Amino acid sequence: MPNLTPTSEVVISGAGLWNPDHVLTNEELVDVLNRYADQYNTEHQAEIDAGELEPVAKSDPDFIAKASGIRQRYVYVKDGILDVDRMRPRIPERADDELSHQAEMALNAARKALAAANKTGQDIDAVIVSCAYTQRAYPAIAIEVQAQLGIDGFGFDMLVACSAATFALHRANEMVRSGTARAVLVINPELTSPQVNYRDRDSHFIFGDVATAMVVERGDQANAEHVYDILGTQAKTVYSNNIRSNFGYVSHAFESDPFAPDKLFHQEGRKVFKEVCPMAAQHLAEQVETVGVDVKDIRRWWLHQANINMNQLITKRLLGHEASQDEAPIVLDQYANTASAGSIIAFNLYHKDLGSGDLGVICSFGAGYSIGSLVLRKR
Ligand code: CO8
């Protein structure tokens, strides 16, 4: 393991984005949920009339587009989701000696990030796979990816829901800065669709699947075309029950149904909106000030992608006007909420046009609550 001299220059030198082939539109999701509602409500009409059961509420594509800005999402496996008798993806189980689904997603993005950084596995000392869920506890997905890429070093998985990517970039920054690694590969294989309750109109439209990756390395060894100095990082967590998933390995031991709605993603969306927006705006203003620059000096904001109205509110508070697509790009219309990958997708798609010296901020906010940010300057 390298024990290098600490460095004050740490950079992001490569980014990768991979999305599955399958598109799922709002209309498709609404159609299956509404068919399910008709079926369930007819079957349980007597109990519903007697006030013993709640009817299943129907969804509406116009509500979804207006309330969230989401128009479609990519899903790793589409088969099964639109089957009214199943309404969850039918993901084929793989044998222990096969590549796992999440490692495959991770590799698709990692290889692109390595190519962009002009690096191979031999140049990397550590792999962090960081996302909202990992498909198993051990062996770590990161170690599986490490083996596939021929990386001699170490890897580990970490979970911080929507801030998994930014918090992992913070760890990578610290590792490179302190000299424990020359370069770190940070990967976010966000396989969210198995945790979505496609029967719940409040949340059935929110998530999509994607994988993103970044290479964080010593500034003195970077030789890529687009290199960004990390000027500062900031993280904040404040406990909240408003976004939860209760599924975990202990579900096996509980008496309750391991597939009950509370075991899947659920939230108090309105409360999240109200509480997180001011927190994120304040966090960003402070973070920019900490590195000694002004909000108006930031050329681009690569923000978390949960809800278009949230991003508009946050940027309005920060900038005093509604941000343009050039200032704070929106990608959730195509990708939906991809947990921690959202801001990294925005970076992937909107960074090559920046000029030398331009400043940008990556920021995530979500479950926990958790907020994470990085201020970057293009070399
Ligand atoms: N169709 C029609 N009507 C609907 C629908 C629908 N699909 N959904 C809700 N309604 C109804 C409601 O029932 C309500 O009716 P009523 O007034 O009669 O009660 C009405 O429409 C208004 O509902 P809301 O107040 O809930 O609507 P909002 O305008 O607040 O929009 C949102 C709902 C879009 C959910 C919004 O609140 C939001 O985006 N909030 C922020 C949420 C957020 O950012 N959450 C972060 C979660 S992601 C995260 O942290 C990572 C977790 C890890 C990944 C998980 C992977 C699975």
Side-chain angles (χ1 to χ4, degrees):
M1 204 56 243
N3 193 3
L4 307 160
T5 339
T7 177
S8 57
E9 285 181 46
V10 184
V11 298
I12 291 174
S13 55
L17 163 65
W18 174 83
N19 56 260
D21 293 334
H22 312 291
V23 170
L24 197 55
T25 64
N26 292 346
E27 287 72 18
E28 287 175 304
L29 280 181
V30 168
D31 176 65
V32 70
L33 173 47
N34 290 353
R35 279 189 287 126
Y36 170 73
D38 283 338
Q39 197 173 295
Y40 179 95
N41 296 343
T42 307
E43 243 170 64
H44 297 90
Q45 192 63 61
E47 296 102 310
I48 293 168
D49 290 345
E52 290 158 14
L53 283 179
E54 282 292 318
V56 172
K58 289 193 172 184
S59 188
D60 173 5
D62 293 335
F63 170 89
I64 298 171
K66 193 160 173 285
S68 71
I70 296 166
R71 298 193 171 273
Q72 63 162 51
R73 72 280 303 133
Y74 294 98
V75 284
Y76 183 64
V77 169
K78 189 168 178 178
D79 179 36
I81 297 175
L82 301 178
D83 173 353
V84 74
D85 296 323
R86 182 177 172 91
M87 296 180 75
R88 59 197 163 96
R90 192 178 280 107
I91 300 179
E93 233 173 310
R94 289 186 178 170
D96 286 358
D97 59 357
E98 288 181 285
L99 188 64
S100 70
H101 291 289
Q102 242 177 336
E104 182 177 311
M105 291 176 71
L107 283 164
N108 288 334
R111 290 196 171 103
K112 291 184 180 184
L114 285 170
N118 212 8
K119 293 284 176 286
T120 69
Q122 279 83 58
D123 304 309
I124 305 291
D125 293 325
V127 179
I128 308 177
V129 163
S130 193
C131 44
Y133 302 94
T134 50
Q135 70 173 90
R136 61 164 191 262
Y138 48 86
I141 307 293
I143 304 176
E144 194 180 359
V145 169
Q146 179 197 347
Q148 291 290 322
L149 293 174
I151 292 170
D152 180 19
F154 64 94
F156 60 90
D157 295 346
M158 59 184 274
L159 308 177
V160 203
C162 286
S163 291
T166 54
F167 279 38
L169 289 167
H170 293 181
R171 303 290 76 76
N173 172 49
E174 285 159 2
M175 281 152 64
V176 173
R177 207 165 281 271
S178 65
T180 51
R182 293 166 298 161
V184 182
L185 188 54
V186 174
I187 322 173
N188 326 104
E190 291 291 7
L191 182 53
T192 65
S193 53
Q195 257 285 307
V196 175
N197 183 354
Y198 288 107
R199 294 177 175 159
D200 170 35
R201 77 162 173 178
D202 289 342
S203 61
H204 75 130
F205 57 88
I206 296 181
F207 293 101
D209 300 331
V210 81
T212 51
M214 281 185 159
V215 173
V216 176
E217 65 172 320
R218 291 176 69 91
D220 57 9
Q221 68 175 25
N223 60 351
E225 195 183 343
H226 301 279
V227 177
Y228 296 83
D229 286 303
I230 301 177
L231 301 185
T233 63
Q234 190 159 301
K236 178 85 178 167
T237 51
V238 178
Y239 187 67
S240 167
N241 262 328
N242 289 333
I243 311 170
R244 273 191 88 93
S245 158
N246 289 327
F247 186 80
Y249 76 100
V250 185
S251 304
H252 190 220
F254 290 150
E255 294 303 318
S256 58
D257 173 6
F259 304 107
D262 81 288
K263 302 296 184 296
L264 302 173
F265 169 90
H266 57 285
Q267 69 168 353
E268 294 286 342
R270 187 127 292 241
K271 283 191 192 161
V272 174
F273 195 108
K274 275 201 186 135
E275 291 170 9
V276 169
C277 287
M279 277 171 69
Q282 190 188 343
H283 172 101
L284 283 163
E286 285 171 8
Q287 162 65 332
V288 166
E289 199 186 324
T290 306
V291 300
V293 295
D294 199 89
V295 160
K296 67 175 172 9
D297 299 328
I298 303 295
R299 169 80 178 79
R300 185 148 297 151
W301 304 86
W302 297 287
L303 298 183
H304 183 56
Q305 304 282 320
N307 180 306
I308 194 171
N309 303 315
M310 271 177 122
N311 288 22
Q312 281 171 356
L313 196 66
I314 291 166
T315 50
K316 203 164 181 188
R317 277 195 184 211
L318 266 176
L319 312 175
H321 63 268
E322 213 158 87
S324 64
Q325 179 72 2
D326 184 61
E327 289 170 302
I330 293 292
V331 302
L332 59 84
D333 53 336
Q334 301 295 307
Y335 288 85
N337 182 338
T338 51
S340 78
S343 57
I344 314 299
I345 301 174
F347 179 91
N348 263 279
L349 297 177
Y350 296 91
H351 77 91
K352 291 186 178 161
D353 59 319
L354 295 197
S356 176
D358 279 349
L359 296 167
V361 176
I362 294 177
C363 182
S364 65
F365 34 89
Y369 296 132
S370 60
I371 305 186
S373 60
L374 297 97
V375 181
L376 307 179
R377 182 181 54 217
K378 191 158 191 184
R379 281 198 167 175

